Amino acid sequence: CKSLKRSWSELGLPDLGNAIDKVRAFVNQRIQAAGKTAAFPSIAISLCLAIGAFGMADLAEGDVLDHGSEPSPDSIATMSAVVSIGKMANTIKQQDAAFDGLSRIVIGTPNMAALFVESMRTLARSVTKKQLDLHFRIGRAIAMAIGRFDCTLVELGWQFPFDPSLVYNKSLLSANTVALNSLLEVITSRLAVSTNLQDRQAAVVWIVSLVQMCPQLSQLIVWLPQLHSCVCTMLSDRDDFTRELASNALALIYDRGDVLSKEDMMVSLKKLFGTSNDQPADATGLAIEREAAAGQQRSSNTQMRI
């Protein structure tokens, strides 16, 4: 909006720039209030669309990935409010508006990415069996925010993979590589091996979303073997949803890899289907359950002998 103010000032309309700032402050104020008490769906949708537009307007100053500065308290409060709106949403349109607004805030303000991912992780932990589609909405928002493109063309029925640069008239934004590496580290080393069911569900959904929606990112390609190995361990998960999605993810990840990546992936597959000594580490808690059951059985057998 600063660029817009300079432009309007050069055109002899400086007051319009001030008016834009006032409108933005008003929208922030209203959306923060809506995050505390449920607003009418139409009002919530309008506020989320507006805050997303303001987020994208920050790109008028140029595509600058600033990771050094800290988000302002007002920006943090606004993001928290939009997350709350998405969580309280009663309609699909309201949810979509909230997640689109969040992703566009992060596209325009990349230093919000860490807070955004942590907010999405917290929200994912509240997903129930009847809300599994919420995992995919979160994954889509993360792919948009970190890959830094708009999924509007996907909404119109475009098939994957597609070129995100088309959304910006062949002007592709730089991916948020710092946030992407941090996110993938969290997915592979924390979420995928968590004993929390929602964490593991989020891990496999986020992997699929990133690989499916951001296939052109060179920074993602180097992670594909590790993501493939991570998904392999989830094939033995005790949760049906996680197992089925992990199975579908294997082919998707393999297809996106280059020659060297595919060689590494084949190693993971050989371990998965090889001898018992080659089996991958159990990251789902099943080994712990089996050991506990075996311990109980040994205890019962000892008591019977006595």
Side-chain angles (χ1 to χ4, degrees), residues 16-84:
L16 187 55
N18 295 328
I20 291 174
D21 276 349
K22 290 180 181 178
V23 171
R24 186 170 194 168
F26 174 76
V27 171
N28 280 334
Q29 184 181 17
R30 290 294 305 273
I31 207 165
Q32 289 174 24
K36 297 176 182 177
T37 56
F40 286 111
S42 58
I43 294 176
I45 290 171
S46 299
L47 289 172
C48 290
L49 292 176
I51 205 65
F54 277 119
M56 296 294 285
D58 289 335
L59 293 174
E61 299 177 37
D63 182 19
V64 179
L65 288 170
D66 180 14
H67 299 288
S69 61
E70 292 292 329
S72 67
D74 190 53
S75 298
I76 295 173
T78 297
M79 176 171 283
S80 299
V82 181
V83 172
S84 296

Side-chain angles (χ1 to χ4, degrees), residues 225 228-229 232 254 259-275 278-280:
H228 189 271
S229 177
C232 282
Y254 186 83
V259 175
L260 293 178
S261 296
K262 288 180 178 179
E263 288 181 359
D264 290 337
M265 293 179 202
M266 288 304 298
V267 173
S268 296
L269 289 175
K270 288 179 180 178
K271 289 182 178 180
L272 180 66
F273 297 110
T275 63
D278 293 330
Q279 294 297 322

